[in-house]
Amino acid sequence: MSNEKLQANKELGFLYKKCSIRPYVISQMALVPEYVEAIKAHKGEINNQVVYEIIRKVYLKMLSEGKNFRTATDVMNKVSKDVTGDSATWREGVNI
């Protein structure tokens, strides 16, 4: 089993300065291409709440299409925890 650490991600590097989301969570976001594409496509200000809403929207779309996987779920829960204080906040108003 590898003991490698996730390295800082160059594509999402700007998030490390713009957000207070834990750095390793930002690095994990890079493992979900749908999240990277949506964040990079966003025009306008980036902050914790904006990143949370982007990831939540993408994740709910993935869920509805049956395309969710462990890493996407894990990142969604961690971003929710960092931004709202609760890893399950993203589930509000959602029938799962």
Side-chain angles (χ1 to χ4, degrees), residues 14-29:
F14 64 95
L15 291 180
Y16 296 102
K17 293 181 181 176
K18 299 264 185 192
C19 300
S20 62
I21 295 169
R22 291 170 285 175
Y24 83 91
V25 176
I26 293 172
S27 295
Q28 282 185 314
M29 282 181 211

Side-chain angles (χ1 to χ4, degrees), residues 49-63:
Q49 191 64 38
V50 170
V51 171
Y52 168 76
E53 294 297 337
I54 291 169
I55 288 186
R56 182 177 189 268
K57 181 180 176 185
V58 170
Y59 184 70
L60 292 175
K61 182 176 188 284
M62 290 169 69
L63 268 179

